[in-house]
Amino acid sequence: MTPDGTLPDGWLDPGPFLRGVAWRDGTRAVRADPADLARLPWDTRERAALPIGVRLEFTAPGGASEVRIRYRARVPDTADALRDIAHCFSLWHGERCLHESFTEPAEESVVALELPPGNGPFTVHPPESQAPVILGLRGVGGTVVPAPGRPRWVVHGDSITEGWWSTRPAHSWPATTGRMLGLDTVNLGYAGGARGELPTAQQLARLPAELLTLAFGTNCWSRTPYSTSLMYETVRAFVALVRQGHPDTPLLLLSPVLCPEAESTANTLGATLAQLRTAMESATRDLMAEGDRRLTLLPGRELLTASHLADGLHPDDSGHALIAAAVGDALRTAGFTDLVVGPAA
């Protein structure tokens, strides 16, 4: 690599342009600590291999008319359940999607995105389902340079946080809130996971962050059934472990959103989702009352109605937008955005 970040073949090193990166495993951006995978459940390890929320952010001060991105992605076989998900690179400026380019997973390929006049900043959201790796990028007709860094917001949750049933990665609620508030969103949502695993809390404690959000709980009703007492103590233990690495970092806890099937149906340990949610909220309020001044709670039950659920569980784009707005409002009301990005957020 040359001193200006150019690779031997003329492409720019993508590293300085990448955002939303939690950890690296060689050239891959991954979402769990590769040195601490053995303590995590297999489904969390599997989801953590997907670069959910990872994106490129750059400006075009040299008047580039196009950005080209070289990538490789796993080529799915006919049995891959994710093979039909659109392999789309989308270009954003602020709150607007400017352009989408649909490609195919390939061992190596290049996608081109036309840039409008102006410096940006611009964001490119790559596809996620086939674990693409960005190999390089370059401007056409001018230069592109990494956008200025933003405060890191680490969000941990389940499939709803990961963005399931949003039509594009950029439409998930963490991506939308981060864009709205000017944050570098690091998405640690694990579909099927996020069941209060304490090793995850310890990994969060070691991960740099200026702002934190926890949004787990739904899978504690079904996949790994919790009682209300177990949920209460797990929340307290999870937050305590996170606080070992982030004693003063602003932290928002979002309790589970509506799941009609689970609200009044007891799991195998006798707890409904409504009861688990209450236990989670009680634990958070108790921690706040005990002196955690950088902790706040957003109750999730009233954020959505059944009409916002695409499949009875996961929000559609309108549901993700409602969660994003509520989270943004909660962070502002708690004063967390003033602490992290300043009063203008």
Side-chain angles (χ1 to χ4, degrees):
M1 184 187 305
T2 63
D4 65 356
T6 304
L7 300 173
D9 53 8
W11 291 87
L12 295 173
D13 175 14
F17 294 85
L18 288 172
R19 302 292 185 268
V21 178
W23 292 271
R24 290 183 177 276
D25 186 4
T27 61
R28 297 187 306 131
V30 295
R31 299 184 305 121
D33 185 348
D36 189 25
L37 293 180
R39 296 193 301 149
L40 299 178
W42 72 267
D43 52 359
T44 299
R45 298 197 301 269
E46 182 178 73
R47 300 309 298 181
L50 296 177
I52 304 296
V54 175
R55 59 209 180 277
L56 295 160
E57 294 187 357
F58 60 92
T59 61
S65 59
E66 181 180 274
V67 62
R68 293 181 181 174
I69 300 167
R70 187 160 61 96
Y71 70 93
R72 69 167 180 264
R74 182 177 60 227
V75 179
D77 58 32
T78 55
D80 191 324
L82 303 178
R83 65 176 287 111
D84 294 328
I85 296 177
H87 204 256
C88 173
F89 288 78
S90 60
L91 175 72
W92 285 70
H93 180 205
E95 294 295 305
R96 293 181 56 225
C97 179
L98 303 178
H99 180 60
E100 293 186 332
S101 181
F102 292 86
T103 65
E104 294 294 332
E107 293 184 5
E108 186 169 326
S109 189
V110 174
V111 62
L113 294 163
E114 182 179 352
L115 299 177
N119 292 347
F122 302 106
T123 300
V124 173
H125 290 267
E128 298 172 341
S129 59
Q130 301 304 332
V133 175
I134 306 301
L135 303 175
L137 73 161
R138 62 186 175 198
V140 175
T143 58
V144 294
V145 299
R150 301 182 181 189
R152 277 169 60 93
W153 177 37
V154 175
V155 187
H156 169 59
D158 51 31
S159 57
I160 296 172
T161 297
E162 194 178 86
W164 276 38
W165 286 100
S166 60
T167 55
R168 295 287 187 272
H171 296 166
S172 72
W173 72 259
T176 302
T177 304
R179 192 165 54 243
M180 178 173 59
L181 298 181
L183 300 168
D184 177 9
T185 305
V186 179
N187 189 321
L188 302 186
Y190 307 128
R195 300 171 294 255
E197 292 89 351
L198 298 185
T200 295
Q202 292 177 305
Q203 291 193 13
L204 292 175
R206 297 193 296 267
L207 195 62
E210 282 75 53
L211 182 64
L212 294 160
T213 293
L214 306 178
F216 63 89
T218 300
N219 289 329
C220 298
W221 173 76
S222 57
R223 290 179 63 91
T224 301
Y226 273 45
S227 65
T228 55
S229 59
L230 179 58
M231 175 60 87
Y232 178 89
E233 295 299 341
T234 296
V235 170
R236 291 183 64 94
F238 199 101
V239 173
L241 288 173
V242 171
R243 282 291 186 229
Q244 290 183 7
H246 294 282
D248 298 312
T249 303
L251 192 161
L252 167 71
L253 191 141
L254 168 62
S255 65
V257 298
L258 172 70
C259 178
E261 175 191 8
E263 293 299 330
S264 58
T265 303
N267 63 18
T268 56
L269 290 180
T272 67
L273 182 60
Q275 292 169 332
L276 294 176
R277 184 186 295 113
T278 297
M280 191 174 203
E281 293 170 0
S282 296
T284 306
R285 291 190 177 102
D286 286 350
L287 288 168
M288 294 166 65
E290 291 165 15
D292 192 333
R293 299 183 182 276
R294 294 288 175 86
L295 176 65
T296 194
L297 171 68
L298 174 59
R301 171 62 179 82
E302 302 302 324
L303 300 185
L304 306 179
T305 67
S307 66
H308 300 116
L309 303 177
D311 59 353
L313 172 61
H314 300 97
D316 57 16
D317 280 350
S318 67
H320 276 280
L322 286 172
I323 298 172
V327 169
D329 287 345
L331 292 171
R332 292 190 189 97
T333 299
F336 290 172
T337 53
D338 288 354
L339 288 170
V340 174
V341 296

